[in-house]
């Protein structure tokens, strides 16, 4: 992000092509802590694995407080792989499979957006139109391979086609708006810091909002309808928390 902010990374739109060819080395699925899951990812993975959201989060997720947002963040819980001598060989995603020396994703058609878009990263500054950046580091051999053989991919096709990208962008917009609006509903920094970060008030807010963000699904409803309903629920939880804490902590949002 720092390089992007300095204008060092060129942006690509979803209609453009980029030079890349995956060699299935599996490096991007190892030793990471940043496979973040959004509500749509959880919803799709639950459907694929036939698990409830609660079961999925227990088995594959790790929920924590976002360092600056103070919001519940969910990431994929990686597993440690031990060698024959019992020494750790690093971590890997629980869904990484291998066959004949090539690595593949065992939930490919339902994999999280960050995985589907990799090596592209999504940027949406100041609530404007989404753009993408090519974020290839030294561990990924796909760019070098593609440059040698002149292989190009279309951004939209790479991420699963127009319909998937449309839905994802729609979802991201609602999510970005939530992250922006929530500061107008409650003073989250104050709530998170109350009693050194160990208050029952923040714990209860965190549990309710985590459930609404990642766990409250009705498979009969559309993805968008469900997300909008949950966002409305989060607003109510924030407003109720402000009222409930009145007299003890002033949680009214900063003007
Ligand atoms: S690190 Fe790059 S080349 Fe290797 S599997 Fe991931 S995307 Fe493909
Ligand atoms: S979900 Fe699939 S693509 Fe994503 S990190 Fe795991 S194995 Fe890799």
């Amino acid at each position: 992000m720092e390089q992007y902010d300095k204008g060092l990374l060129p942006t690509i739109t979803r209609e453009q092509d980029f030079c890349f060819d995956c060699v299935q080395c599996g490096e991007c699925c190892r030793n990471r802590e940043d496979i973040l899951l959004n509500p749509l990812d959880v919803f799709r993975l639950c459907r694929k694995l036939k698990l409830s959201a609660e079961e999925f989060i227990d088995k594959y997720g790790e929920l924590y407080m976002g360092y600056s947002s103070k919001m519940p963040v969910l990431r994929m819980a990686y597993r440690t792989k031990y060698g024959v001598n019992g020494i750790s060989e690093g971590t890997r995603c629980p869904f990484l499979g291998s066959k004949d020396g090539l690595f593949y994703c065992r939930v490919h058609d339902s994999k999280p957006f960050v995985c589907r878009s990799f090596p592209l990263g999504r940027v949406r500054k100041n609530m404007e139109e989404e753009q993408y950046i090519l974020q290839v580091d030294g561990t990924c051999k796909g760019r070098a391979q593609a440059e040698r053989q002149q292989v190009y991919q279309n951004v939209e096709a790479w991420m699963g086609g127009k319909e998937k990208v449309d839905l994802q962008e729609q979802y991201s917009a609602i999510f970005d708006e939530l992250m922006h609006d929530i500061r107008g509903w409650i003073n989250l920094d104050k709530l998170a810091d109350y009693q050194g970060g160990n208050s029952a008030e923040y714990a209860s807010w965190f549990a309710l909002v985590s459930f609404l963000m990642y766990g409250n699904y009705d498979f009969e409803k559309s993805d968008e309808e469900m997300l909008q309903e949950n966002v409305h629920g989060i607003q109510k939880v924030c407003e109720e928390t402000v009222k409930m804490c009145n007299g003890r902590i002033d949680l009214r949002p900063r003007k």
Side-chain angles (χ1 to χ4, degrees):
M1 239 6 229
E2 204 182 313
Q3 277 187 309
Y4 167 73
D5 287 337
K6 286 181 186 160
L8 298 173
L9 289 177
T11 52
I12 318 168
T13 67
R14 52 189 274 186
E15 290 80 28
Q16 284 182 299
D17 292 345
F18 65 106
C19 186
F20 193 77
D21 192 18
C22 176
V23 298
Q24 290 183 260
C25 65
E27 267 318 304
C28 54
C29 310
R30 297 191 193 101
N31 303 316
R32 300 182 67 158
E33 293 185 334
D34 58 349
I35 303 296
L36 301 186
L37 303 168
N38 67 32
L40 184 58
D41 295 328
V42 179
F43 184 70
R44 283 194 185 125
L45 284 162
C46 284
R47 241 189 329 216
K48 164 98 182 163
L49 301 166
K50 298 189 174 40
L51 294 175
S52 68
E54 202 182 8
E55 289 166 334
F56 174 81
I57 294 170
D58 267 2
K59 208 166 171 192
Y60 299 110
E62 207 177 319
L63 201 55
Y64 63 99
M65 179 190 81
Y67 180 70
S68 55
S69 71
K70 314 295 182 204
M71 293 285 285
V73 180
L74 182 65
R75 70 178 167 209
M76 193 81 89
Y78 269 33
R79 310 266 194 264
T80 304
K81 185 174 184 289
Y82 294 98
V84 277
N85 51 8
I87 294 174
S88 162
E89 290 181 348
T91 63
R92 56 195 289 163
C93 176
F95 300 116
L96 181 63
S98 65
K99 195 174 177 214
D100 303 331
L102 295 178
F103 289 85
Y104 68 98
C105 175
R106 293 192 290 110
V107 289
H108 180 71
D109 54 348
S110 311
K111 65 185 173 188
F113 179 69
V114 285
C115 301
R116 197 153 10 97
S117 54
F118 189 83
L120 299 170
R122 161 187 167 262
V123 282
R124 186 163 180 261
K125 261 191 144 180
N126 307 324
M127 313 293 263
E128 286 166 10
E129 190 194 348
E130 307 229 358
Q131 290 190 316
Y132 298 89
I133 45 171
L134 191 55
Q135 36 165 22
V136 179
D137 62 18
T139 58
C140 175
K141 300 167 190 77
R143 179 64 187 256
Q145 156 99 352
E147 277 175 352
R148 275 192 301 273
Q149 299 181 356
Q150 286 297 293
V151 180
Y152 286 83
Q153 314 284 347
N154 172 267
V155 171
E156 202 170 74
W158 181 256
M159 292 194 292
K162 185 176 180 333
E163 208 179 303
K164 273 196 173 153
V165 182
D166 279 349
L167 183 63
Q168 186 59 55
E169 289 195 353
Q170 221 175 330
Y171 236 73
S172 305
I174 298 174
F175 210 65
D176 289 348
E177 236 168 81
L178 166 68
M179 300 304 272
H180 173 264
D181 290 350
I182 202 157
R183 299 278 158 179
W185 303 333
I186 191 167
N187 187 329
L188 208 42
D189 295 320
K190 218 166 178 183
L191 177 64
D193 286 348
Y194 184 56
Q195 294 181 339
N198 294 313
S199 70
E201 287 83 354
Y202 181 58
S204 141
W205 177 92
F206 191 89
L208 285 167
V209 172
S210 303
F211 172 70
L212 288 167
M213 280 177 79
Y214 303 111
N216 186 32
Y217 297 119
D218 178 345
F219 288 93
E220 300 298 310
K221 293 185 179 167
S222 75
D223 302 337
E224 201 196 340
E225 201 183 348
M226 209 54 241
L227 185 67
Q228 291 286 15
E229 217 175 281
N230 285 339
V231 166
H232 187 63
I234 293 171
Q235 181 173 4
K236 285 203 83 175
V237 170
C238 292
E239 289 167 353
E240 286 303 314
T241 307
V242 173
K243 270 194 234 156
M244 196 182 71
C245 294
N246 190 21
R248 282 173 299 130
I249 338 166
D250 181 5
L251 293 178
R252 283 171 301 172
R254 288 197 192 115
K255 295 283 174 228

